[in-house]
């Protein structure tokens, strides 16, 4: 069973900001290597603790043989993250998370590729297993965990996930190679199922991360007190692995730090909770919540395009674009919440990040 470097484990359990990396493309819908490197340099400069690559925000179509981008994109990102580690005056490396998709053969092959490229964890998307029985899904997860430490993922059903009950997560929490779980069902009941299952399994070593874009601050400041034989166990969601944090990233890192301080003090201010509502409103515009998230990737691209970090909002699928009225919603949240963006920070360093 593969193990995690002690420094990676320490950072993961403390809680860090891990953006889900978008894909930089040219107008011909080919990889824009300069733009991709610039984007990764932006995240490193913004103070993130890691990066997730090959996930939904990176576009699942990178795996399509027509594009053949899965390994090249992971390799480019690994190279830039290694460069960032050399340039940073910190002992802890940036956490490298690779998205893992597909049925058993594909998932194991992707995990092997990620491991060989130096990724620390595999974020396992279970959409390909469909409605398979729970024990079969657990076996699928164990097979991937034999290759690379596992970052579990509760994906909301509206974008391809399925409802996974407490019983599933209780079995999942027993997988030896499990290191963290991204909780993203966009549902309070289902979020609690995961937290309770991990607590009742006694897995204090498994880090909990929010992927609930509609409740980021709420997740990060809430103490979950779970009664189990032997007494009460308190668990917290310590960090975030979020597509939302791929834009306006520097303020997101600061927000995570503020949420951590609030959680440690046991008192979240009304201002912090109110800011959480503003973050949710901004997310609704970026992710196109009004249209069942159809424009979510294009919406993130649009923010990065406005900042000059991406040349355009092109996706591998030509039909994937902003929804009607989505650009106006992004205009609105820009006007309404100027303190949430990092445009000045980006403008001051963008040319440096995009050079070479």
């Amino acid at each position: 069973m593969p193990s995690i470097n002690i420094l990676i484990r320490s950072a993961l359990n403390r809680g860090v900001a891990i953006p889900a990396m978008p894909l930089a493309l040219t107008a011909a819908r080919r990889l824009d290597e300069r733009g991709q490197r610039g984007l990764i340099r932006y995240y490193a400069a913004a103070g993130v603790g890691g990066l997730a690559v090959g996930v939904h925000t990176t576009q699942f179509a990178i795996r399509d043989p027509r594009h053949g981008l899965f390994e090249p994109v992971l390799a480019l990102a690994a190279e830039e993250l290694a460069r960032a580690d050399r340039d940073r005056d910190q002992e802890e490396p940036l956490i490298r998370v690779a998205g893992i998709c597909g049925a058993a053969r594909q998932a194991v092959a992707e995990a092997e590729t990620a491991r060989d490229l130096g990724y620390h964890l595999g974020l396992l998307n279970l959409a390909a297993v469909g409605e398979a029985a729970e024990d079969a899904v657990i076996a699928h997860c164990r097979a991937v965990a034999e290759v690379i430490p596992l970052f579990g993922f509760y994906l909301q059903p509206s974008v391809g996930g399925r409802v996974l009950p407490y019983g599933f997560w209780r079995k999942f929490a027993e997988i030896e190679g499990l290191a963290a779980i991204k909780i993203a069902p966009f549902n309070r009941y289902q979020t609690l199922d995961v937290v309770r299952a991990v607590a009742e399994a006694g897995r204090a070593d498994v880090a909990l991360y929010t992927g609930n874009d509609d409740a980021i601050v709420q997740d990060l400041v809430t103490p979950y007190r779970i009664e189990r034989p032997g007494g009460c166990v308190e668990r917290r969601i310590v960090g975030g692995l979020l597509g939302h944090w791929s834009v306006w990233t520097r303020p997101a890192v600061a927000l995570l730090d503020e949420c951590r301080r609030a959680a440690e003090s046991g008192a979240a201010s009304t201002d912090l909770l109110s800011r959480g509502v503003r973050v949710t409103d901004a997310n609704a515009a970026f992710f196109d919540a009004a249209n069942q998230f159809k424009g979510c990737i294009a919406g993130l691209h649009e923010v990065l395009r406005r900042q000059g970090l991406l040349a355009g909002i092109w996706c591998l699928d030509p039909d994937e674009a902003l929804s009607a009225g989505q650009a106006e919603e992004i205009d609105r949240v820009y006007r309404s919440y100027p303190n949430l963006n990092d445009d000045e920070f980006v403008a001051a360093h963008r040319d440096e990040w995009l050079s070479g």
Side-chain angles (χ1 to χ4, degrees):
M1 186 71 65
S3 60
I4 301 181
N5 175 292
I6 189 170
L7 294 174
I8 296 297
R9 172 80 72 179
S10 173
L12 191 66
N13 288 351
R14 183 181 69 252
V16 297
I18 304 178
M21 188 187 79
L23 182 67
L25 295 174
T26 66
R29 303 184 197 277
R30 299 186 182 279
L31 178 63
D32 177 0
E33 183 172 323
R34 173 176 172 268
Q36 197 69 67
R37 291 185 186 279
L39 201 54
I40 296 167
R41 293 167 190 172
Y42 159 54
Y43 296 136
V48 304
L51 191 65
V53 183
V55 293
H56 175 243
T57 308
T58 321
Q59 301 179 47
F60 292 138
I62 61 173
R63 296 163 171 83
D64 190 317
R66 292 177 299 168
H67 305 300
L69 288 175
F70 178 73
E71 185 169 352
V73 168
L74 262 65
L76 183 153
E79 181 182 319
E80 276 300 322
L81 291 170
R83 171 179 170 170
D85 283 340
R86 291 192 298 270
D87 292 344
R88 284 169 7 120
D89 185 24
Q90 294 189 35
E91 188 178 44
E92 289 176 349
L94 291 167
I95 300 171
R96 304 176 196 179
V97 182
I100 306 297
C101 295
R105 181 176 297 180
Q106 177 184 339
V108 168
E110 290 190 3
E112 290 171 344
T113 297
R115 177 200 61 200
D116 294 345
L117 288 170
Y119 282 79
H120 304 118
L121 300 125
L123 182 72
L124 183 57
N125 187 321
L126 296 175
V129 302
E131 295 303 314
E134 284 182 19
D135 286 346
V137 180
I138 293 294
H140 175 81
C141 297
R142 288 187 187 279
V144 174
E146 291 287 340
V147 179
I148 192 169
L150 203 58
F151 208 128
F153 186 12
Y154 197 167
L155 176 65
Q156 59 169 314
S158 62
V159 291
R162 64 183 262 193
V163 174
L164 295 164
Y166 167 84
F168 170 84
W169 292 107
R170 184 62 179 79
K171 294 175 186 175
F172 187 82
E174 295 173 0
I175 296 175
E176 183 183 346
L178 177 64
I181 302 175
K182 171 179 174 172
I183 309 171
F186 285 37
N187 180 291
R188 295 292 89 195
Y189 301 114
Q190 292 160 5
T191 294
L192 180 56
D193 281 342
V194 180
V195 180
R196 184 165 68 92
V198 173
E200 293 185 352
R203 290 298 301 270
D205 59 322
V206 172
L208 301 177
Y209 275 64
T210 183
N212 288 320
D213 299 84
D214 62 343
I216 295 170
V217 169
Q218 182 179 347
D219 275 354
L220 292 171
V221 301
T222 300
Y224 291 82
R225 298 190 175 107
I226 310 298
E227 293 293 340
R228 58 189 293 260
C232 179
V233 174
E234 181 171 303
R235 291 302 309 260
R236 288 199 308 109
I237 295 173
V238 296
L241 195 166
L242 294 154
H244 181 83
W245 282 357
S246 69
V247 300
W248 296 359
T249 306
R250 197 182 196 203
V253 171
L255 178 65
L256 173 59
D257 289 341
E258 188 172 349
C259 288
R260 180 184 295 111
R261 291 193 297 272
E264 289 171 351
S265 70
S269 69
T270 54
D271 176 72
L272 180 58
L273 295 174
S274 177
R275 213 171 329 143
V277 175
R278 284 173 263 164
V279 170
T280 299
D281 192 20
N283 179 266
F286 301 160
F287 272 58
D288 195 27
N291 295 288
Q292 290 73 54
F293 309 103
K294 290 179 181 177
C296 62
I297 292 176
L300 297 172
H301 287 191
E302 172 62 12
V303 177
L304 295 169
R305 184 199 65 79
R306 294 182 186 203
Q307 292 183 313
L309 286 166
L310 290 184
I313 68 168
W314 308 292
C315 296
L316 290 171
D317 179 354
D319 294 329
E320 197 161 357
L322 294 174
S323 293
Q326 189 178 358
E328 290 75 14
E329 275 295 283
I330 295 173
D331 289 339
R332 178 183 66 80
V333 297
Y334 248 109
R335 289 193 305 269
S336 299
Y337 314 125
N339 292 335
L340 293 183
N341 76 63
D342 57 1
D343 287 12
E344 289 185 7
F345 171 66
V346 172
H349 301 283
R350 179 183 57 235
D351 292 346
E352 170 193 346
W353 298 329
L354 291 170
S355 65

